[in-house]
Amino acid sequence: MTFIFFAGGAFWALFETVSAERLGGAVSVPLSRRVFTEESTTGFLETGKRKLAYFGEASVGTPPQRFLVVYDTGSGNLIVPGSGCSSHACQKHARFRKAASSTARQIACGFQGIWKFGIRINFGTGHISGHCLSDKICIGGLCT
């Protein structure tokens, strides 16, 4: 099992590859469904542009720090705000405190001629950047 945790001034992002087997049962994760109206980059609402997202709880670290996260089936990223983030969006949400987790450790994000400890992820609406960490993650009673 390997996972990469992006940590930056703005966000912590978690990429995880988990191999889990449950004999005689399944893991069920309660999710909430929300529909959003998408805003254009000019700030005006665009009619007919709606997005559906599923939210659920995940915990990161030891002891666990709980987050309400979007389960995005289009990527392997779990993104939670980091304690160093001071933007308006981050202030409205729980932020991961690396120093509060006894199991968090920094790892390299990848190798491209040199080991990289920082990363930038681009989205259609912007980007996030951070550093890579490894830590314990729990979703629906299944933990790494």
Side-chain angles (χ1 to χ4, degrees):
M1 160 184 40
T2 306
F3 63 89
I4 300 170
F5 208 128
F6 295 112
F11 287 93
W12 299 85
L14 182 64
F15 289 101
E16 183 173 11
T17 304
V18 177
S19 204
E21 292 182 29
R22 286 269 172 123
L23 298 176
V27 175
S28 180
V29 178
L31 301 177
S32 299
R33 183 178 134 173
R34 296 189 189 165
V35 178
F36 298 92
T37 303
E38 185 176 347
E39 289 187 29
S40 72
T41 56
T42 60
F44 296 103
L45 292 177
E46 296 180 18
T47 57
K49 294 272 189 170
R50 304 190 97 185
K51 290 191 172 192
L52 176 66
Y54 288 92
F55 290 80
E57 188 176 291
S59 65
V60 181
T62 306
Q65 298 175 46
R66 298 193 193 304
F67 298 92
L68 186 62
V69 298
V70 175
Y71 287 92
D72 180 3
T73 59
S75 79
N77 305 337
L78 172 63
I79 301 170
V80 297
S83 60
C85 182
S86 59
S87 76
H88 178 68
C90 290
Q91 290 178 10
K92 294 178 7 180
H93 297 92
R95 290 177 267 177
F96 181 74
R97 297 174 322 278
K98 176 187 171 194
S101 176
S102 64
T103 50
R105 62 183 179 85
Q106 186 168 349
I107 60 173
C109 301
F111 185 78
Q112 294 176 340
I114 60 168
W115 288 106
K116 294 193 165 241
F117 291 92
I119 194 158
R120 176 181 164 129
I121 304 171
N122 295 308
F123 299 97
T125 57
H127 73 274
I128 61 171
S129 58
H131 300 89
C132 297
L133 300 172
S134 173
D135 209 337
K136 179 180 177 181
I137 304 163
C138 294
I139 297 173
L142 183 63
C143 298
T144 60

